[in-house]
Amino acid sequence: MKTNIKHRFLLLALLTFLGATAQEQTTPIFKDGEAQIVDAFNTPKKWIRHDLFVETEFDSDGDGKLDRMHVAVTRPYQTDTEGLKLPVIYESSPYYAGVAPDVDGVFWDVKHELGDIGPERAHPEVTRRGERPIISNSQIKTWVPRGYIVVHSSSPGTGLSQGSPTVGGDNESLAPKAVINWLNGRAKGYTEPYGDEEVNAYWSTGKVGMTGTSYNGTIPLAAATTGVDGLEVIIPVAPNTSYYHYYRSNGLVRSPGGYLGEDIDVLYDYIHSGDETKRAANNKRVRDTEMKNGMDRKTGDYNDFWAGRDYLNDMKPMKAAMLMSHGFNDWNVMPEHSYRIYKKAKAMGLETAIYYHQFGHGGPPPVSMMNKWFTHYLHDIDNGIENEQHKAFIVREGDDMKNPTSYADYPNPTAENVTFHLTSGAPKTGSLALLKPESQDTETLIDNYSFNGEALARAEITKHRLLYVTPKLSKDIHISGVPKITVTLASNTPAANLSVWLVSLPWNEGRRIKTTDNIITRGWADPQNYKSLTESKPLKPGKFYEVTFDLQPDDQIIKAGQQIGLMIFSSDKDYTLHPEPGTELTVDLDKTQLTLPVVGGLKSF
């Protein structure tokens, strides 16, 4: 009998040991500060996938009930079989359930005078797609095998999430906050949109990291501005951080690149894939009232409507660490969106860094870099991220996006402002000079939207732009930061577009051109807002006004042998309204100047 008891004891001890060993084998593994792929987690057929509905603190569709967000979970099976708790990578989007079709008339007509609105546009409906329990497959293959749980949610009024889209309204910040609260046991989740059977996130450590691109990159920032506990780190990629900066520019109605005539109400229609029975009421309340009254295509002025959709204004409660990512040649969501938030986060003392590449829209940091950030802030692994001396990681021209060059910060701390003055040359080409020339006359351009920016920059002679260039560079020039332009001008009409391009000449063409060729950066402004972004005033024909504004941030090396060109023109065919050609802008050369942030400053020239 004693022998049997002894054998049983040994068997029980062996089983306990094996169980403990198995448990140890299925915990995350870290090497060189990064979470590694674990074979036991890399079993897609065994992953547990389920969905639920998280109750929020708002009612944005006006039905008298708190909105519930549709949430989907993908987790390793060990979270059930072994009671394993893991941190969460969370992505939220308004796009998961489909978008409106691209029909004729969906964008605003831009062919009209400044101050007019144009005819009413078309309003296509979204056909909702998708089947429960899956919302999206993004992020899963990258992070679940490395020991994370991946969570998705549809934003308010999209997919099976209740409520209404607001395109930057408060509910789009509070929705991910509710999901994070649920992951920490502070909010309720239910098995059905209107049921009362609760679901708990017993498998969550409560630590959450968010990421995503474009609108999906905006939502992590929106969530972080609520200061919600548990959101430890965000990695926004090309986020829209201000809808005013997306649809306006220094008082000017200016479309995002590639979407001429888009405005905030167009995006609302594009994503409104929620409950069909609620759409008409949502449209009336949000699109046809709040947006119609607030977006002001007539003046382009900044107002309370736009201020309420600017996340820079909401950052005070933010405490999450942030790795920001953007492309310097993103002319859809332009690079100012990331820089303004990065700058403010640094000033607030938050743990932050920025990754910039030389390409267009999208482009996350290398997986290795993201891995280290998630590993440190979600798994509490001391990998030195918070002590990294370099805060800026910039992909140099021609380099692979996986191999950025590290710098102490962005802008480059050794960059200094260099001021350039204009010398006459119209209708051909004038000069950009470091020394201010003696008193000069004025030069005039005639607006004509029929010619796009490239055609104007390449033209040897044209009356539709003013172009001023440096001598050929004798050595490479490294621009890092935010160029600034002051244009003193007079118009022969009460309103006019003002467009400025900084270009590298001669203009390169052909199949082998790179995104860093030709265009260095750009900017746009409404001269009517020369004094105030919130109040435009009609121009008095013939009177000169001083208009100062920033161009888009950049970090680019202009090669020796090239010339830096400043091009001033009126209507930008691909971005601005298209008023009737003929407006004349006269520029006072003596009171117009360009300021470039150049690494090494004046001595670089």
Side-chain angles (χ1 to χ4, degrees):
M1 178 68 71
K2 290 182 178 179
T3 301
N4 288 339
I5 292 174
K6 183 178 180 181
H7 286 165
R8 288 177 185 173
F9 177 80
L10 290 172
L11 180 61
L12 180 61
L14 178 62
L15 291 173
T16 302
F17 172 77
L18 291 173
T21 302
Q23 181 72 19
E24 183 179 347
Q25 290 173 340
T26 52
T27 55
I29 296 173
F30 306 98
K31 181 181 178 182
D32 298 327
E34 299 180 32
Q36 303 297 301
I37 292 176
V38 178
D39 289 341
F41 293 153
N42 195 17
T43 53
K45 291 183 178 179
K46 291 185 177 181
W47 290 342
I48 298 170
R49 305 195 72 170
H50 58 100
D51 66 341
L52 64 140
F53 296 83
V54 170
E55 187 172 81
T56 68
E57 58 188 273
F58 56 83
D59 170 22
S60 60
D61 56 17
D63 66 356
K65 302 173 185 176
L66 294 178
D67 297 340
R68 293 182 181 182
M69 297 300 104
H70 186 211
V71 177
V73 179
T74 304
R75 51 191 173 93
Y77 71 89
Q78 292 88 349
T79 54
D80 269 3
T81 61
E82 299 174 12
L84 183 63
K85 290 188 175 184
L86 294 171
V88 171
I89 304 295
Y90 173 29
E91 182 180 67
S92 184
S93 175
Y95 298 136
Y96 293 142
V99 295
D102 184 9
V103 300
D104 289 342
V106 68
F107 293 121
W108 286 94
D109 184 1
V110 298
K111 194 175 180 180
H112 58 76
E113 299 302 312
L114 279 69
D116 293 342
I117 296 177
E120 184 57 56
R121 60 177 192 84
H123 298 286
E125 289 277 329
V126 183
T127 300
R128 186 169 54 203
R129 68 183 186 210
E131 294 184 9
R132 297 179 62 183
I134 295 173
I135 292 179
S136 172
N137 290 312
S138 67
Q139 311 295 342
I140 292 172
K141 291 181 180 179
T142 301
W143 301 113
V144 175
R146 288 178 164 87
Y148 294 93
I149 294 162
V150 172
V151 168
H152 296 94
S153 73
S154 292
S155 59
T158 72
L160 296 179
S161 285
Q162 298 168 355
S164 173
T166 55
V167 192
D170 288 345
N171 66 335
E172 294 186 4
S173 299
L174 297 174
K177 176 187 176 183
V179 174
I180 294 166
N181 277 333
W182 174 73
L183 290 167
N184 281 273
R186 298 188 298 265
K188 292 183 177 182
Y190 298 92
T191 58
E192 299 296 331
Y194 295 102
D196 56 9
E197 182 182 347
E198 293 191 22
V199 183
N200 296 316
Y202 56 85
W203 31 258
S204 168
T205 64
K207 288 183 175 291
V208 181
M210 292 188 72
T211 190
T213 298
S214 198
Y215 210 138
N216 303 14
T218 300
I219 295 174
L221 176 62
T225 62
T226 69
V228 59
D229 290 336
L231 180 57
E232 305 295 333
V233 57
I234 61 173
I235 306 180
V237 181
N240 183 336
T241 66
S242 163
Y243 285 93
Y244 183 84
H245 289 76
Y246 189 59
Y247 291 116
R248 306 288 184 267
S249 188
N250 300 297
L252 197 69
V253 175
R254 191 262 301 143
S255 302
Y259 301 93
L260 186 63
E262 184 182 322
D263 211 322
I264 193 167
D265 60 330
V266 178
L267 184 53
Y268 169 92
D269 282 343
Y270 189 69
I271 65 174
H272 195 188
S273 60
D275 187 345
E276 291 83 355
T277 67
K278 303 286 181 66
R279 292 185 190 179
N282 288 344
N283 293 344
K284 182 178 180 180
R285 184 179 60 259
V286 179
R287 185 191 68 197
D288 301 335
T289 304
E290 182 185 2
M291 288 183 174
K292 183 178 181 180
N293 294 339
M295 65 187 200
D296 185 11
R297 284 185 66 82
K298 205 166 191 176
T299 71
D301 292 350
Y302 190 73
N303 56 27
D304 290 343
F305 171 83
W306 294 114
R309 286 165 168 79
D310 186 340
Y311 293 105
L312 189 72
N313 299 332
D314 298 334
M315 286 182 65
K316 187 176 181 179
M318 183 172 164
K319 55 192 176 185
M322 180 183 72
L323 171 60
M324 183 66 82
S325 178
H326 217 127
F328 282 123
N329 288 284
D330 185 349
W331 301 111
N332 175 5
V333 181
M334 299 186 193
E336 66 180 337
H337 283 269
S338 55
Y339 175 61
R340 61 202 298 271
I341 300 298
Y342 171 68
K343 183 179 178 182
K344 178 69 176 289
K346 280 196 306 178
M348 292 171 61
L350 298 177
E351 293 292 342
T352 188
I354 196 159
Y355 167 87
Y356 272 124
H357 58 80
Q358 303 292 342
F359 302 101
H361 191 51
V367 170
S368 176
M369 186 180 292
M370 296 177 70
N371 194 337
K372 287 179 180 177
W373 278 70
F374 284 146
T375 294
H376 176 70
Y377 291 103
L378 302 184
H379 284 292
D380 293 323
I381 299 298
D382 184 6
N383 57 13
I385 282 294
E386 77 282 12
N387 297 320
E388 174 66 58
Q389 295 300 308
H390 296 106
K391 298 299 183 182
F393 303 86
I394 298 174
V395 179
R396 292 265 54 99
E397 299 78 355
D399 286 354
D400 189 284
M401 288 181 63
K402 295 179 182 178
N403 298 307
T405 300
S406 59
Y407 296 91
D409 203 356
Y410 178 79
N412 192 308
T414 64
E416 299 175 7
N417 285 334
V418 177
T419 299
F420 293 86
H421 304 278
L422 281 52
T423 62
S424 60
K428 294 182 179 180
T429 302
S431 299
L432 280 180
L434 294 172
L435 298 178
K436 190 171 184 177
E438 296 181 3
S439 181
Q440 301 182 88
D441 204 347
T442 60
E443 293 194 323
T444 299
L445 65 92
I446 301 174
D447 183 27
N448 191 335
Y449 70 84
S450 301
F451 300 94
N452 66 18
E454 178 181 343
L456 294 176
R458 295 175 61 179
E460 292 185 10
I461 300 177
T462 176
K463 60 185 178 181
H464 302 302
R465 58 93 177 112
L466 301 176
L467 180 60
Y468 307 92
V469 302
T470 65
K472 286 185 179 181
L473 303 179
S474 59
K475 58 182 179 179
D476 295 353
I477 295 295
H478 185 175
I479 296 171
S480 181
V482 183
K484 185 185 290 287
I485 182 78
T486 294
V487 183
T488 300
L489 56 79
S491 171
N492 68 342
T493 59
N497 292 313
L498 176 59
S499 304
V500 171
W501 284 19
L502 200 63
V503 295
S504 178
L505 299 172
W507 193 276
N508 292 333
E509 56 183 328
R511 291 182 297 176
R512 294 186 179 181
I513 63 169
K514 302 186 293 290
T515 52
T516 50
D517 290 345
N518 304 326
I519 296 173
I520 300 173
T521 188
R522 318 188 230 211
W524 302 263
D526 185 347
Q528 296 178 104
N529 292 88
Y530 71 100
K531 269 192 176 180
S532 167
L533 198 59
T534 59
E535 185 179 0
S536 55
K537 294 183 177 180
L539 305 175
K540 293 181 180 179
K543 180 180 177 180
F544 281 87
Y545 299 87
E546 183 180 283
V547 184
T548 300
F549 57 98
D550 291 339
L551 307 183
Q552 290 296 317
D554 196 23
D555 193 292
Q556 188 170 337
I557 296 173
I558 314 301
K559 289 295 186 181
Q562 292 291 107
Q563 293 175 282
I564 297 173
L566 171 66
M567 184 170 72
I568 301 171
F569 59 119
S570 186
S571 297
D572 191 330
K573 185 176 182 179
D574 296 322
Y575 294 89
T576 69
L577 299 178
H578 295 175
E580 188 71 22
T583 292
E584 295 182 5
L585 294 184
T586 299
V587 174
D588 185 335
L589 301 186
D590 291 336
K591 297 179 180 179
T592 297
Q593 64 183 36
L594 169 70
T595 303
L596 287 184
V598 177
V599 173
L602 188 60
K603 63 179 179 288
S604 294
F605 285 89

